[in-house]
Amino acid sequence: MTTADLFVDIVIPTWNGWPLLERCLQTIARQSFCNSIITVVDNGSTDGTAASLEKLYPEVRSIVFAENRGFSAAVNAGITGGASPYIFLLNNDTELEPDCLQQLVTAAGSLPDFAFFVPKMLSFHDRALLDGAGDGYLRGGAGY
């Protein structure tokens, strides 16, 4: 299977973060790897997120909760609704470089023995600072 045949499910939980989410969606639209299905899980926002998504981004799949169920419930709902071989979890304040998805898909395809891939993360407030390069997972499945 080539990368042209692959799709990536992008799951973004949000709660009252429309301005940040809109910026995130704009950076996804500029990706060099375009085979993605975006799901936004709205955790009971009261800022008009659901209506704004429907109006401005009708191609984005929405799951809307009546109340805030938290991050885990939101991403699990998005993951369960997807069918792609790759899942990319994003916070709503994430901004992607144009080749981010292509780099991740290429790495995942060339390293089949690995199950998790993450991009380098820069500080939101100071783009010169490295904020993180992924999370760790313990054998029991807990993250840190």
Side-chain angles (χ1 to χ4, degrees), residues 11-28:
V11 178
I12 309 168
T14 191
W15 180 72
N16 289 333
W18 173 248
L20 295 170
L21 175 62
E22 185 171 30
R23 214 160 150 188
C24 178
L25 293 171
Q26 290 167 355
T27 68
I28 294 170

Side-chain angles (χ1 to χ4, degrees), residues 20-107:
L20 295 170
L21 175 62
E22 185 171 30
R23 214 160 150 188
C24 178
L25 293 171
Q26 290 167 355
T27 68
I28 294 170
R30 291 191 292 268
Q31 290 300 293
S32 59
F33 181 87
C34 300
N35 295 351
S36 61
I37 300 167
I38 305 166
T39 300
V40 171
V41 184
D42 184 348
N43 250 329
S45 295
T46 57
D47 67 348
T49 292
S52 296
L53 268 175
E54 187 176 327
K55 179 180 178 185
L56 300 172
Y57 295 91
E59 71 281 6
V60 172
R61 184 172 164 253
S62 293
I63 298 172
V64 180
F65 292 159
E67 71 280 337
N68 190 340
R69 295 186 191 173
F71 179 84
S72 296
V75 296
N76 284 335
I79 291 168
T80 301
S84 301
Y86 297 132
I87 300 165
F88 190 27
L89 302 180
L90 290 178
N91 288 338
N92 65 350
D93 63 350
T94 306
E95 296 175 21
L96 304 178
E97 289 294 322
D99 66 340
C100 180
L101 283 175
Q102 183 63 60
Q103 293 288 334
L104 290 170
V105 168
T106 299

